[in-house]
């Protein structure tokens, strides 16, 4: 499948999409299997935190994991928050190895999607569903009233 535009080739492949808790996903194992068959030199890396050599990065009160995937010399990174079984962020001091592993696999799949594999699964994920999503207001302790008023409508 070596062509000038590998992304175009990979994005044309239709994948079996599974659903879990109203979320769509593709199997990381199926995606990696196909990618390696078509691009044997493709590789991935689970990014380690240089402070403690773990795969977990502190982010606010929770944690993040990051993975990179390289195809045809192009590297894409994906970092995702550690979530619990209800897809809610887990407080940093309560994150366990199972949650880290799940997050790494989700980030791995999403990094592959940036190369075109199953990218359609993620289409529109960053846009709110007007029927179900309510605007979220995050209040930071050092916001002034004036700044808060500007963001209140978000």
């Amino acid at each position: 499948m070596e062509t000038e535009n590998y992304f175009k080739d990979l994005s044309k492949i239709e994948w079996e999409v599974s659903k879990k808790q109203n979320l769509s996903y593709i199997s990381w194992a199926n995606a990696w299997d196909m990618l390696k068959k078509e691009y044997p030199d493709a590789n991935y890396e689970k990014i380690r935190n240089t402070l403690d050599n773990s795969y977990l990065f502190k982010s606010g009160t929770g944690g993040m994991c990051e993975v990179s995937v390289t195809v045809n010399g192009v590297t894409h990174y994906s970092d995702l928050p550690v979530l619990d079984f209800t897809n809610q962020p887990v407080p940093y001091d309560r994150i366990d190895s199972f949650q880290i592993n799940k997050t790494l696999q989700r980030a791995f799949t999403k990094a592959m999607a940036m190369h075109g594999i199953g990218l359609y699964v993620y289409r529109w994920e960053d846009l709110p569903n007007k029927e179900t999503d309510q605007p979220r207001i995050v209040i930071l302790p050092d916001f002034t009233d004036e700044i808060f008023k500007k963001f209140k409508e978000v």
Side-chain angles (χ1 to χ4, degrees):
M1 196 187 275
E2 292 286 330
T3 66
E4 279 188 34
N5 190 342
Y6 78 94
F7 178 92
K8 191 174 182 180
D9 292 337
L10 291 174
S11 64
K12 288 180 183 177
I13 298 170
E14 292 198 24
W15 292 89
E16 179 182 327
V17 177
S18 300
K19 287 240 183 221
K20 186 175 184 179
Q21 296 179 0
N22 293 327
L23 299 174
S24 299
Y25 67 94
I26 62 172
S27 161
W28 69 265
N30 290 343
W32 185 244
D33 179 58
M34 193 288 309
L35 181 61
K36 288 297 280 187
K37 286 176 180 171
E38 300 299 329
Y39 297 91
D41 291 339
N43 63 65
Y44 73 97
E45 179 183 6
K46 297 174 184 176
I47 309 300
R48 288 188 180 271
N49 184 334
T50 57
L51 297 176
D52 62 7
N53 206 34
S54 73
Y55 295 117
L56 184 63
F57 296 85
K58 189 165 186 171
S59 175
T61 59
M64 302 283 287
C65 293
E66 185 175 21
V67 174
S68 70
V69 173
T70 302
V71 179
N72 274 358
V74 177
T75 301
H76 289 296
Y77 292 83
S78 175
D79 58 336
L80 292 175
V82 177
L83 304 176
D84 65 14
F85 68 95
T86 64
N87 291 318
Q88 297 301 310
V90 180
Y92 187 81
D93 61 345
R94 294 175 57 205
I95 294 172
D96 62 39
S97 59
F98 182 77
Q99 293 162 330
I100 292 170
N101 182 58
K102 285 290 209 185
T103 304
L104 286 167
Q105 295 311 97
R106 288 187 304 112
F108 177 43
T109 306
K110 196 164 191 176
M112 283 190 282
M114 291 179 186
H115 289 283
I117 296 175
L119 183 61
Y120 60 88
V121 172
Y122 297 98
R123 205 176 307 290
W124 312 118
E125 79 166 1
D126 54 344
L127 299 176
N129 178 337
K130 291 182 180 180
E131 296 173 10
T132 60
D133 291 349
Q134 296 297 318
R136 292 174 57 185
I137 299 173
V138 177
I139 303 171
L140 301 176
D142 56 343
F143 265 25
T144 64
D145 288 338
E146 186 176 327
I147 294 172
F148 178 76
K149 287 177 189 174
K150 288 181 183 179
F151 289 99
K152 192 174 183 182
E153 298 299 323
V154 176

